[in-house]
Amino acid sequence: MPTLRLLILLLPISIFANPIRFQRDQINYIYHDTKINETTLEKFHGLFENYYSKTLDDLLAKKNYPLRVEIYTDANRFRADTGLASFTAGMFDAKTETFYFLLTPKTLQEDKLITIISHEACHAAIHSKKLDFYQIPRSLEEGFCYLHYPSETILNRDVSAYSKMGFNEFLSISEKNLASSDKKKREEIYQVSARFIRFI
């Protein structure tokens, strides 16, 4: 398998425009940075390739190659381009079938990165099934992926108020809280939805 350095040397000079585009093992990368950080990209690619495949195998889902993965190392640019909250480090956009990742010293910790990749690959697995006749509510999708690949801090707070809600009310509140910039409100939905998924 060629190293990233050799791969870069073989690509056209236009790769050095920003963003940098290159392909590796059926994965089309868009790297939003002014220079190549080979160590970071090698580490990410190895983990992404392994845990995307493992997650979809675990969930009996079809792999949809080629994949599109956009990588950021600047948090401000990541948030400006994606519109994601400041505490978000990854996303799978089902409409464009694109993965987005923010790689920082914190998220590049191997255990953390494996969890982020696996959680986002879980979303890809759900959408690979093409359940056009029924769209899974986003809160339940997040609950399912959190249950199997927990990407947020486990909360030590009282969430019993959710148990008093009817299902439709819960879905309505969940959608509002998932759109919130309040990390705790979003984490509550992940936690409560995961409990519901486990119960059923």
Side-chain angles (χ1 to χ4, degrees), residues 2 18-19 25 27-28 72 91 111 122 125 131 140 153-154 185:
N18 194 19
D25 301 321
I27 303 172
N28 296 312
Y72 291 79
M91 179 184 77
D111 289 348
C122 174
L131 300 176
L140 297 184
T153 304
I154 296 174
K185 284 186 178 181

Side-chain angles (χ1 to χ4, degrees), residues 25 35 39 45 49-50 74 102 113 136-137 141 144 150 152 155 177 190:
D25 301 321
K35 61 182 180 180
T39 302
H45 174 70
E49 185 179 36
N50 289 340
D74 180 270
L102 173 62
L113 191 52
I136 299 171
E141 182 180 327
F144 179 84
E152 304 293 336
L155 300 174
N177 286 354
Y190 283 31

Side-chain angles (χ1 to χ4, degrees), residues 143-144 146-147 189-199:
F144 179 84
Y146 175 82
L147 177 63
I189 301 307
Y190 283 31
Q191 183 180 11
V192 174
S193 293
R195 288 180 182 176
F196 176 75
I197 295 290
R198 186 185 290 115
F199 175 76

